[in-house]
Amino acid sequence: MIEIELDGKKVEVPEGSMVMHAAEKAGTYVPHFCYHKKLSIAANCRMCLVDVEKAPKPMPACATPVTQGMIVRTKSDKAVKAQQSVMEFLLINHPLDCPICDQGGECQLQDLAVGYGGSASRYQEEKRVVFHKEVGPLISMEEMSRCIHCTRCVRFGQEIAGVMELGMLHRGEHAEITTFVGNTVDSELSGNMIDICPVGALTSKPFRYTARTWELSRRKSISPHDSTGANLIVQVKANKVMRVVPLENEEVNECWIADRDRFSYEALNSDDRLTVPMLKQGGQWREVDWQTALEYVANGLKQIRNDHGASAIGALGSPHATAEELYLLSQLVKGLGSGNVDHRLRHADFSAAPSGQARWLGRSIASLSSLDAALVVGAFLRKDHPLFAQRLRQAVKRGGRIHSLHAVHDDWLMPMAQGLTAAPSAWVQTLAGVAAAVAAEKGVSAPVAATPDEASMAIARSLLQGEHKAVLLGNAAVQHPQASQLLALAGWIAAQTGATVGSFGEAANSVGAQLVGALPGPGGLDVGGMLAQPLKAYLLLHVEPQLDLADPLRATRALESADMVVALTAFKSAAQGHADVMLPIAPFSETAGTFVNAEGRPQSFYGVVKPLGETRPAWKVLRVLGTMLDLPGFGFETAEEVRAQALGDTTTLAQRLNNDAALGATSANAAAGFERIADVPIYTTDVLVRRAPALQQTADARAPVVSVSTSAWSQLGLKDGDRVRVQVGGGVATLPVRCDATLAAQAVRVPTGHPATAELGPLFAPVELSKA
């Protein structure tokens, strides 16, 4: 540690620290623009000039290393005059448009100009003008004349998002921030550039000119999308969500959020919102009051139970629903005497953790940033878990080695150590090869007979080195027909190499859904069973059957054959096609609830606005239904009471997280023909992102394309611009096709969760391909 004197106070900081770090530790504010604690040091803006004893001129605090006994003054005349001079330079070309600037009220330049700017400008010449850039539907670069060239946005792209989408052209007064040859900004983390811009040069396009910052109330919430559980500040005006920004939490999301966390709020105000209960009568939808709708549901369920038995009733809950909602849904169905309830909508293997326990990440989210080695199996990492990808990017920068096993290798925007490519049916055998390589290196017997190749040996050696290691399963591995075998092999490899094993988790509440028992009861059917032997009544909670299920074709048929389908939904279009009654329930912004993220951290939140129209929180609707059905244990008054019952003592949740899986007999059953690998595009993952207009205009929301391997491309005689007829499980779609050199030879990538592929069968199944 090095001791310096800062404004008369002694401060100790590690060797290699800058004066700015010492000032932060001492609680002394040094004005700055280009410095950001999460980004590299650029020393562009010079606003942080301080007076260092024995230095001939003021020095930038952000780029001056501390030395033993150094004496620094941040408030001396010399320092303040230097800072005022820099401010004068910065304001020379800055347009005087504070009254109409979107950043007004939360602008660093505006704030510091009050303390360090002059009352009048000595500059009489014309100000420079920088023309606006069109960079996509999320970020506005309309007023680039405001830019002070701090390069925070450039460094964010390079260092955090992993892709340099913005850069600086020219020099001096001709310098400007722009994209490469007119490209758009397409990173899934791009919205963070808006937050870190210290002036109003980059602003939010959807929020632009809709409200002034001082009119907004700020309320805490939790992201309802992926399993990170990003902490949010939701900004509200006149009972309407106007904007979403990150709430800093170092343990979870640091100070970043993904674009879907930031911009999906647009769906909350969409015309598609269901605001009154609706019944279908004679093929026509009509609005009814709550009493009528709930009596219809309660009487219908009683009738079906009397006529066909309780086992004819089933419930499907979305893993994006809160723990309270899923608990009451499960209790309702089980109270009726049926065990048919499940949240694993896209799974094909339904072996679960022991009762009351849950599969999880296997380590803390924060620790992903310091991994020495990791093997990631079956993950579309960047798009499924943008913030986890960012953590692993930091690990690679520190010297970590990331290996992957997949049917396709998307660019994760980080240097990869080793990749294994195999069609989905060969994943178990390929992972067994890595296990055999670990066994050979350690001189123990392998769990499954397999011959390791050179790449498997390299991964085994890598996993045996270093202190912090993990074997992690992505969404595709969890949804795989042999998911439990993959988990068991991953667990064996982890145990032998001293690594942790875990899965990233598909949705905001995948862990919570398991903990509250939203799983089949004794003798009950899982999702696959409920759709394979159609039931008489289905309860759907936040589910959009054509887009949320592993086999949308089978789901549609099962729902069409049912006597009653009750949809608890926030959006009309999510349920209109197959439901008999639609009950308007609140999205995350209008209800209290709890999400348990991938690391098993329960995070509770409250509604930030009043429910729209006749909308009600789903936990209240389920509570009333339970009471009308004369079921015991539904006398809850508050969401906190439900939470206490559902999750029990939250301080002991860590003891209920369990990734143990038994290794059964594995068979090398590689398929003969083409087989499907399906990703869920980032802006089709749930009901909210699908209805957010700005997200639906991004590059990631383009219509799906079939990807085939180089060998399949030549085998089928395809060329650029062709379309192919895709047949999966009895369903057919005709889609554009492209060649992807990273795909396994037998694999065909056909996205799911999109209307264009909703007619196709399962996520993992043989594919028949022909040129259209």
Side-chain angles (χ1 to χ4, degrees):
M1 297 292 276
I2 288 176
E3 186 177 83
I4 72 164
E5 185 184 304
L6 191 130
D7 292 342
K9 281 194 281 190
K10 294 274 192 268
V11 187
E12 271 198 353
V13 285
E15 193 173 347
S17 298
M18 301 295 156
V19 172
M20 184 69 91
H21 300 137
E24 281 181 345
K25 188 168 180 187
T28 301
Y29 179 72
V30 178
H32 61 272
F33 293 114
C34 67
Y35 172 77
H36 189 282
K37 62 183 177 183
K38 294 286 179 186
L39 303 176
S40 63
I41 286 164
N44 285 339
C45 73
R46 318 309 275 184
M47 190 66 214
C48 63
L49 292 175
V50 291
D51 179 7
V52 178
E53 195 165 275
K54 295 186 183 161
K57 58 183 190 217
M59 306 291 281
C62 69
T64 304
V66 295
T67 56
Q68 187 64 39
M70 177 187 259
I71 297 173
V72 180
R73 299 179 188 91
T74 67
K75 307 275 190 297
S76 69
D77 278 356
K78 187 176 174 182
V80 172
K81 277 199 177 111
Q83 291 159 358
Q84 287 172 340
S85 300
V86 171
M87 178 58 75
E88 185 174 23
F89 273 120
L90 288 175
L91 293 177
I92 276 177
N93 275 312
H94 198 78
L96 301 176
D97 57 0
C98 289
I100 60 113
C101 177
D102 240 28
Q103 198 105 330
E106 50 184 19
C107 168
Q108 255 178 289
L109 186 67
Q110 193 180 42
D111 295 344
L112 293 180
V114 173
Y116 300 90
S119 56
S121 174
R122 294 186 285 167
Y123 186 76
Q124 301 299 322
E125 290 76 12
E126 276 186 32
K127 290 179 182 268
R128 77 180 201 136
V129 173
V130 181
F131 290 107
H132 78 275
K133 320 282 189 294
E134 178 51 57
V135 294
L138 305 180
I139 297 176
S140 170
M141 293 178 79
E142 283 291 320
E143 285 94 8
M144 288 308 289
S145 300
R146 298 172 185 161
C147 178
I148 60 166
H149 307 145
C150 70
T151 67
R152 278 185 178 187
C153 54
V154 178
R155 285 175 286 145
F156 172 83
Q158 285 176 298
E159 297 162 20
I160 307 296
V163 56
M164 185 175 169
E165 293 180 293
L166 294 176
M168 195 187 286
L169 284 181
H170 312 307
R171 303 181 71 174
E173 73 162 14
H174 302 293
E176 57 182 90
I177 299 286
T178 184
T179 57
F180 181 70
V181 291
N183 287 357
T184 52
V185 172
D186 297 326
S187 160
E188 58 282 355
L189 297 171
S190 67
N192 293 293
M193 293 180 186
I194 299 165
D195 291 336
I196 61 174
C197 180
V199 296
L202 304 180
T203 52
S204 164
K205 210 175 247 188
F207 171 69
R208 208 173 147 72
Y209 298 143
T210 57
R212 307 302 311 214
T213 55
W214 53 86
E215 300 175 311
L216 303 172
S217 307
R218 289 157 176 74
R219 292 161 191 176
K220 295 178 184 178
S221 193
I222 303 295
S223 165
H225 303 298
D226 63 35
S227 58
T228 312
N231 290 210
L232 310 176
I233 299 261
V234 181
Q235 301 187 341
V236 173
K237 178 187 173 186
N239 202 48
K240 186 176 175 185
V241 175
M242 304 302 287
R243 184 166 63 161
V244 172
V245 294
L247 172 63
E248 189 171 339
N249 184 336
E250 275 301 309
E251 297 298 308
V252 181
N253 54 306
E254 298 172 89
C255 54
W256 316 121
I257 53 173
D259 286 354
R260 67 175 160 205
D261 303 328
R262 183 184 301 274
F263 296 108
S264 65
Y265 75 86
E266 286 189 291
L268 303 170
N269 309 319
S270 89
D271 295 337
D272 190 32
R273 280 292 301 273
L274 178 68
T275 55
V276 282
M278 297 182 82
L279 278 180
K280 190 189 272 183
Q281 292 182 328
Q284 297 295 312
W285 284 104
R286 72 179 187 91
E287 296 180 356
V288 294
D289 57 42
W290 270 106
Q291 187 66 26
T292 307
L294 290 171
E295 281 175 0
Y296 177 89
V297 174
N299 294 336
L301 290 174
K302 284 177 185 170
Q303 186 73 43
I304 285 165
R305 181 175 61 177
N306 294 340
D307 295 352
H308 304 281
S311 58
I313 299 168
L316 304 178
S318 168
H320 296 278
T322 67
E324 292 82 350
E325 292 166 358
L326 288 164
Y327 171 74
L328 288 176
L329 180 74
S330 169
Q331 291 302 106
L332 182 83
V333 174
K334 289 169 183 171
L336 285 168
S338 169
N340 307 333
V341 60
D342 210 344
H343 72 277
R344 298 165 295 175
L345 305 181
R346 290 197 176 101
H347 287 215
D349 176 350
F350 293 99
S351 50
S355 179
Q357 300 185 335
R359 307 267 187 245
W360 68 300
L361 185 61
R363 55 172 47 245
S364 71
I365 290 172
S367 70
L368 294 175
S369 306
S370 54
L371 286 172
D372 298 318
L375 170 59
V376 181
V377 182
F380 295 97
L381 181 67
R382 240 182 89 194
K383 303 302 180 184
D384 287 346
H385 299 96
L387 293 171
F388 290 171
Q390 185 274 126
R391 292 267 189 189
L392 291 179
R393 225 166 267 135
Q394 305 313 314
V396 171
K397 277 193 194 142
R398 294 186 174 106
R401 305 170 298 280
I402 308 294
H403 313 273
S404 69
L405 158 57
H406 210 317
V408 61
H409 295 283
D410 291 337
D411 184 1
W412 290 356
L413 303 176
M414 63 183 97
M416 299 295 290
Q418 197 81 44
L420 296 172
T421 309
S425 62
W427 284 3
V428 169
Q429 205 53 36
T430 308
L431 195 58
V434 178
V438 170
E441 285 288 313
K442 289 195 71 180
V444 298
S445 56
V448 176
T451 311
D453 57 12
E454 197 46 53
S456 299
M457 292 302 292
I459 292 172
R461 288 185 204 110
S462 174
L463 287 174
L464 285 162
Q465 293 164 18
E467 196 180 334
H468 306 291
K469 299 164 287 192
V471 184
L472 298 161
L473 304 188
N475 291 2
V478 170
Q479 293 157 0
H480 194 277
Q482 294 168 290
S484 54
Q485 295 291 76
L486 290 171
L487 179 61
L489 278 168
W492 188 91
I493 293 167
Q496 294 297 320
T497 57
T500 60
V501 63
S503 55
F504 286 124
E506 297 166 278
N509 209 19
S510 295
V511 176
Q514 299 171 72
L515 290 172
V516 301
L519 293 162
L525 300 172
D526 51 51
V527 176
M530 282 189 252
L531 301 178
Q533 339 165 4
L535 308 175
K536 292 295 176 186
Y538 290 95
L539 290 166
L540 306 178
L541 174 65
H542 290 297
V543 174
E544 195 164 358
Q546 280 193 298
L547 304 177
D548 286 340
L549 287 145
D551 190 342
L553 201 60
R554 179 184 274 181
T556 309
R557 287 177 189 152
L559 294 172
E560 281 169 357
S561 69
D563 291 351
M564 184 169 82
V565 177
V566 181
L568 290 88
T569 178
F571 298 97
K572 286 178 258 191
S573 61
Q576 256 169 339
H578 48 260
D580 301 297
V581 56
M582 293 192 292
L583 304 178
I585 56 166
F588 83 106
S589 57
E590 297 167 18
T591 182
T594 306
F595 293 135
V596 184
N597 72 0
E599 67 179 2
R601 176 190 295 257
Q603 300 187 105
S604 297
F605 55 93
Y606 293 97
V608 296
V609 289
K610 292 192 193 83
L612 196 63
E614 290 290 303
T615 300
R616 296 287 179 269
W619 70 267
K620 288 188 176 179
V621 176
L622 291 163
R623 176 196 68 185
V624 173
L625 263 178
T627 308
M628 291 173 83
L629 290 162
D630 304 321
L631 303 179
F634 278 82
F636 301 105
E637 291 297 318
T638 63
E640 286 81 2
E641 288 178 25
V642 188
R643 181 185 316 134
Q645 186 69 36
L647 288 170
D649 181 3
T650 52
T651 59
T652 62
L653 281 192
Q655 295 158 25
R656 295 165 55 195
L657 303 172
N658 184 340
N659 287 324
D660 295 343
L663 190 62
T666 60
S667 53
N669 58 340
F674 293 124
E675 49 184 295
R676 182 181 185 184
I677 175 73
D679 59 311
V680 185
I682 186 169
Y683 300 136
T684 64
T685 48
D686 60 70
V687 291
L688 286 178
V689 290
R690 292 177 200 133
R691 290 165 180 80
L695 293 178
Q696 292 308 316
Q697 292 162 28
T698 59
D700 276 319
R702 287 182 192 135
V705 173
V706 175
S707 304
V708 298
S709 63
T710 317
S711 57
W713 184 262
S714 39
Q715 183 185 325
L716 294 165
L718 296 168
K719 57 185 187 298
D720 287 341
D722 280 353
R723 293 171 72 80
V724 287
R725 185 175 182 274
V726 186
Q727 191 167 341
V728 183
V732 179
T734 303
L735 298 163
V737 65
R738 69 171 173 217
C739 181
D740 185 343
T742 71
L743 261 169
Q746 297 306 108
V748 177
R749 181 174 181 170
V750 189
T752 186
H754 193 282
T757 55
E759 296 297 314
L760 295 175
L763 304 189
F764 294 91
V767 175
E768 287 181 37
L769 266 191
S770 55
K771 197 168 165 179

